[in-house]
Amino acid sequence: MSDETTPVVLTRFEFTNGPLRGSQLMLYARCLVHRSEAQIETMPLMRMSAMRVSFERHPRQLGWGVAFVVLSLLMLAVAAPMGSVAHGAAQEMAAGAQGVARALYSFFRLVEMVAALLPAAALACALGGAALGVLGWRGSTTLTLALSGAERAYSARGRDTLLLDFAEQVSERLMAAVR
């Protein structure tokens, strides 16, 4: 094969995180190629009608993160009073432990045990909420291509300046293309 017919990659972008991790976008003179281990997709530049790249935070994840942190604070606030009330009630029922009193004694011991586990559950809830909040705050950078009759979106976690630079080069190539 001669060097004149070998297509030259003008620029490339590799996805290092997110759902497209391990795949790459490559810009050639006449097309844009998305290649992964399982598939390859070629999009001619002449068929692209628009391109958009944007960075967006995820307000839904931020909201859930805040909700989980608030829930963990409520669990911590309820744990100590609930445990002390259940312990006191169990002590009163222990004196006459017959029939219904015995069932109530077991119930109050169960409530006391649940109250003792609430701080651990609150910690797990707070950690999960913090993780969701961080992921929501980091957001994602998305490159969206409008093709004739279809739309493709390629997303990377966080504010990815390399994807922005890649999109700028694709945009320059689109503007230079003779239609």
Side-chain angles (χ1 to χ4, degrees):
M1 190 183 250
S2 69
D3 290 336
E4 295 174 5
T5 60
T6 304
V8 176
V9 177
L10 301 176
T11 186
R12 74 178 63 221
F13 175 78
E14 293 189 30
F15 292 94
T16 57
N17 59 32
L20 297 174
R21 181 180 49 224
S23 67
Q24 58 185 336
L25 288 170
M26 296 175 289
L27 176 63
Y28 291 94
R30 295 184 184 172
C31 64
L32 182 67
V33 176
H34 177 239
R35 179 185 295 259
S36 69
E37 291 180 13
Q39 68 179 13
I40 184 168
E41 181 179 21
T42 303
M43 297 158 280
L45 293 178
M46 299 300 281
R47 301 285 184 212
M48 287 185 198
S49 57
M51 181 185 75
R52 177 177 53 124
V53 63
S54 63
F55 168 74
E56 297 174 353
R57 300 197 192 282
H58 302 295
R60 190 174 197 158
Q61 285 181 331
L62 278 168
W64 278 107
V66 169
F68 280 136
V69 169
V70 169
L71 179 65
S72 71
L73 291 174
L74 287 173
M75 283 200 263
L76 280 176
V78 168
M82 187 169 103
S84 66
V85 167
H87 180 73
Q91 292 303 322
E92 287 179 22
M93 292 294 144
Q98 300 258 348
V100 175
R102 183 72 179 155
L104 282 175
Y105 175 76
S106 299
F107 171 73
F108 286 129
R109 283 305 211 191
L110 177 68
V111 171
E112 187 179 2
M113 183 183 70
V114 169
L117 294 175
L118 273 179
L123 176 64
C125 193
L127 290 176
L132 274 176
V134 166
L135 287 174
W137 184 257
R138 279 191 65 200
S140 63
T141 304
T142 304
L143 171 67
T144 306
L145 304 173
L147 304 165
S148 53
E151 186 174 276
R152 300 287 188 268
Y154 302 97
S155 184
R157 283 192 200 130
R159 184 182 301 267
D160 198 334
T161 57
L162 294 176
L163 184 58
L164 293 171
D165 293 341
F166 178 81
E168 189 173 325
Q169 292 178 356
V170 172
S171 177
E172 288 173 4
R173 191 69 192 160
L174 281 174
M175 289 187 287
V178 177
R179 298 205 176 238

